Amino acid sequence: MKGFNKTILMGNLTKDVDMRTTPNGQSVANFTLAVTRTWKNDGETQEQTSFIPCVAWGKTGEVIAKYVGKGSPLLVSGRLDQRTYDDPKSGNKRSVYEVSVEDFNFISNNNPNDRTPMTQAQALNGGRDFVPDFEDKPIDLSEIPF
């Protein structure tokens, strides 16, 4: 049976993005999102914050590192991955779970009440929607198939 692995998170960066380049030239961005959930229990508001490690490779990581920093809100989607490594201090095997970011949206934080997502394309275009440059010629309605 095939599995399904999709994670969607919205939170705030706990510190600036750690941008590195692997020995083979691949760029990789590591960051942690603080994701807070709230609920009511017997009329009292409860709150819990989880700190989720994330990794973004290539251009995705480069764009995230360029436009967000500590405290910035960010919406990410991707897959949950498990990675193992040897702890250099103890020599023991360690295991960590992290979100491999496949897609993201910036969340505006200029106005605390404005939570409008900004896409990667908008970020690369100075926060504006991409508008193609068409020639100024009339549209032939007979070419529209409906």
Side-chain angles (χ1 to χ4, degrees):
M1 172 188 227
K2 280 189 171 183
F4 181 78
N5 185 351
K6 188 68 170 180
T7 302
I8 301 171
L9 301 170
M10 187 170 80
N12 294 75
L13 272 71
T14 60
K15 61 182 181 178
D16 289 339
V17 176
D18 177 24
M19 190 72 196
R20 295 178 290 120
T21 304
T22 65
N24 67 358
Q26 181 73 22
S27 54
V28 58
N30 291 88
F31 56 94
T32 301
L33 281 180
V35 179
T36 303
R37 71 178 189 104
T38 57
W39 70 94
K40 295 249 186 215
N41 187 13
D42 294 329
E44 189 175 324
T45 301
Q46 304 288 315
E47 189 173 279
Q48 177 189 14
T49 302
S50 298
F51 299 92
I52 314 294
C54 300
V55 61
W57 292 88
K59 189 69 173 173
T60 299
E62 293 170 13
V63 171
I64 290 172
K66 182 176 180 178
Y67 288 101
V68 297
K70 181 179 179 178
S72 297
L74 187 64
L75 175 71
V76 300
S77 66
R79 66 185 184 279
L80 187 62
D81 283 336
Q82 181 182 18
R83 177 172 55 86
T84 57
Y85 65 96
D86 293 321
D87 185 351
K89 292 182 182 176
S90 69
N92 295 332
K93 282 244 185 242
R94 300 282 184 198
S95 180
V96 65
Y97 287 92
E98 60 192 5
V99 173
S100 291
V101 177
E102 296 168 346
D103 194 20
F104 67 92
N105 283 348
F106 295 116
I107 307 296
S108 172
N109 65 355
N110 296 337
N111 174 353
N113 296 323
D114 178 14
R115 305 301 275 184
T116 306
M118 183 181 357
T119 65
Q120 180 176 347
Q122 289 171 320
L124 293 173
N125 195 32
R128 297 178 308 276
D129 285 323
F130 174 73
V131 179
D133 186 23
F134 292 113
E135 297 175 25
D136 287 333
K137 63 179 186 177
I139 297 172
D140 183 0
L141 297 178
S142 67
E143 294 178 5
I144 299 175
F146 51 88

